[in-house]
Amino acid sequence: MTKINPFRIDIPQADLDDLRDRLARTRWPDELPGTGWSYGVPSAYARQLADYWRTEYDWRAQEAALNRYPQFTTGIDGQNIHFLHVRSPEPDALPLIITHGWPGSVAEFTKILGPLTDPRAHGGDPADAFHVVAPSLPGFGFSGPTRETGWSPRRAAHAWAELMRRLGYDRYGAHGGDTGSVISPELGRLAPGNVIGVHVNGALGFPTFQPGELDGLTEAEQARLAQYSDHDRAAYAMVQSTRPQTVAFGLHDSPAGQLAWIVEKFKEWTDPAHALPEEAVDRDQLLTDVTIYWLTGTAASSARLYKEGAADWGRPVEKSDVPTGVAVFPGDAGVRRIAEREHNVIHWSEFDRGGHFAAMEAPDLLITDIRTFFRLVR
């Protein structure tokens, strides 16, 4: 089925009432005094954030804001795919497909969509304009749960190639962060005749830790690579890549559980200069991201992405010839030498503010870097 259908978010009020009721009846866990975040999300912090979510956060306002962007669904490879398709007013705009990761959603892109699609209206050069396609990953958000095994990042890249073909785009760029930084380069490998350039923020490529690999690296680069052996940072991935169904019972049934599971990643991965997640990202935007997971019931299927993709972690691949740009923000694990083994890196930037959720934390820096890179390949 190749039909593209208009889509509008319209959550039943009963679902919002149920969310608030469940939050009000949360059975909160105890915690050890004086441990801060070292054991995970502190109960006192989670209670405060959950109370704001229940009593002050306005989903309807966020829903209306998302609905200002044209949205669609289509079936690809047996899976429903939801996507934003925001066309630029500039006739010569370059099509660009942008991909989120976990625990992200299309809501993380709301601060960059306007400047990317209509730079003239945001003080930029109209020659930098993009037609932006922003899909929800299979199993995430309004794409809904996956219904079969096998939806790895590589399969998602195949779906993106079909989506862009279906939209009539035969020459386009790709950008992504987190899992999107895996899918976007894979899309370039699958469709090198269509993808003119790939831009990512974050890590690109896995170290092998073979003798000599770290020789000559700067202290900063060695610190970035050390994250790969940081068990605290990787614990969530080990759970989701081995037992996603087990953890999903708590996440799917408890909004407080879903909140804590996601907010811990915002604490861990946002700019380390900030003590709390809401100091690095807008609190309502963070909660919109969490709320999308809850309302769409995609805790289990989004976690399955790790299980499906684990076999490819660290798998050597043939070097891509597609021009590639990388933006490294504080806390990211990107090292150019590692990236260049498998990618044609022609642009590399390192920033001293922002973090893993760059589109939310430092949208100005990310927008500028995307524009700068694609000027090289348009």
Side-chain angles (χ1 to χ4, degrees):
M1 184 177 179
T2 61
K3 185 178 180 182
I4 294 176
N5 302 297
F7 179 83
R8 184 176 177 81
I9 305 168
D10 186 15
I11 299 299
Q13 185 60 41
D15 291 356
L16 302 179
D17 294 341
D18 175 68
L19 168 59
R20 294 189 181 98
D21 180 61
R22 286 172 181 263
L23 286 170
R25 294 186 295 107
T26 300
R27 190 172 74 159
W28 297 100
D30 72 325
E31 61 184 329
L32 295 172
T35 55
W37 287 79
S38 63
Y39 279 60
V41 180
S43 285
Y45 174 82
R47 291 184 75 152
Q48 180 184 21
L49 188 58
D51 185 62
Y52 175 85
W53 192 16
R54 180 177 65 87
T55 63
E56 297 184 56
Y57 170 78
D58 186 350
W59 164 260
R60 291 301 184 199
Q62 302 299 317
E63 182 182 71
L66 287 170
N67 279 332
R68 285 197 284 270
Y69 301 108
Q71 299 174 67
F72 305 88
T73 60
T74 191
I76 300 177
D77 195 10
Q79 171 65 31
N80 181 63
I81 300 294
H82 161 265
F83 61 99
L84 310 183
H85 186 194
V86 188
R87 287 187 58 84
S88 172
E90 305 297 337
D92 296 327
L94 175 69
L96 178 70
I97 184 166
I98 62 177
T99 307
H100 65 84
W102 185 93
S105 69
V106 293
E108 72 184 73
F109 297 134
T110 55
K111 292 182 178 179
I112 68 173
L113 287 171
L116 288 179
T117 57
D118 192 3
R120 188 192 302 268
H122 293 82
D125 185 344
D128 289 324
F130 298 93
H131 300 306
V132 175
V133 179
S136 296
L137 283 170
F140 286 65
F142 300 105
S143 285
T146 47
R147 303 299 182 187
E148 60 182 4
T149 59
W151 273 103
S152 65
R154 193 186 309 180
R155 187 172 175 183
H158 279 276
W160 282 192
E162 170 58 20
L163 176 60
M164 295 302 275
R165 186 202 66 78
R166 201 171 290 184
L167 292 173
Y169 295 138
D170 60 6
R171 182 179 184 274
Y172 53 90
H175 162 75
D178 193 83
T179 306
S181 71
V182 177
I183 293 172
S184 298
E186 187 66 22
L187 176 59
R189 286 192 175 87
L190 291 171
N194 306 103
V195 179
I196 66 167
V198 171
H199 182 276
V200 302
N201 59 279
L204 193 62
F206 288 83
T208 63
F209 295 104
Q210 295 298 312
E213 185 179 39
L214 305 185
D215 292 351
L217 293 182
T218 66
E219 288 186 13
E221 289 173 328
Q222 292 185 44
R224 290 178 203 155
L225 289 186
Q227 296 180 43
Y228 287 102
S229 56
D230 186 338
H231 297 301
D232 287 347
R233 290 179 68 91
Y236 84 97
M238 294 301 100
V239 172
Q240 295 197 155
S241 64
T242 57
R243 295 295 183 268
Q245 190 63 32
T246 301
V247 72
F249 286 97
L251 305 182
H252 187 80
D253 188 59
S254 167
Q258 181 71 89
L259 175 66
W261 191 243
I262 288 179
V263 80
E264 187 204 45
K265 297 303 106 188
F266 277 86
K267 170 64 168 69
E268 192 81 10
W269 296 346
T270 50
D271 191 332
H274 298 293
L276 295 174
E278 63 268 30
E279 296 173 3
V281 301
D282 179 82
R283 180 169 55 175
D284 282 356
Q285 191 177 21
L286 188 162
L287 287 173
T288 297
D289 187 63
V290 177
T291 307
I292 287 173
Y293 279 82
W294 175 259
L295 293 175
T296 58
T298 51
S301 55
S302 61
R304 286 197 291 266
L305 181 73
Y306 284 73
K307 177 77 169 177
E308 304 292 358
D312 290 332
W313 292 357
R315 173 182 63 87
V317 295
E318 184 178 347
K319 185 171 181 177
S320 171
D321 290 329
V322 175
T324 301
V326 182
V328 180
F329 290 88
D332 287 335
V335 172
R336 184 163 188 165
R337 182 194 301 179
I338 304 298
E340 287 180 335
R341 286 203 309 245
E342 298 177 348
H343 306 275
N344 177 22
V345 179
I346 67 168
H347 170 85
W348 186 274
S349 299
E350 297 183 11
F351 298 100
D352 59 6
R353 66 175 172 90
H356 188 75
F357 302 94
M360 301 170 71
E361 297 182 69
D364 57 328
L365 298 180
L366 182 62
I367 290 163
T368 297
D369 206 65
I370 291 173
R371 290 172 175 170
T372 300
F373 167 71
F374 280 104
R375 286 175 194 149
L376 303 175
V377 297
R378 279 179 182 261

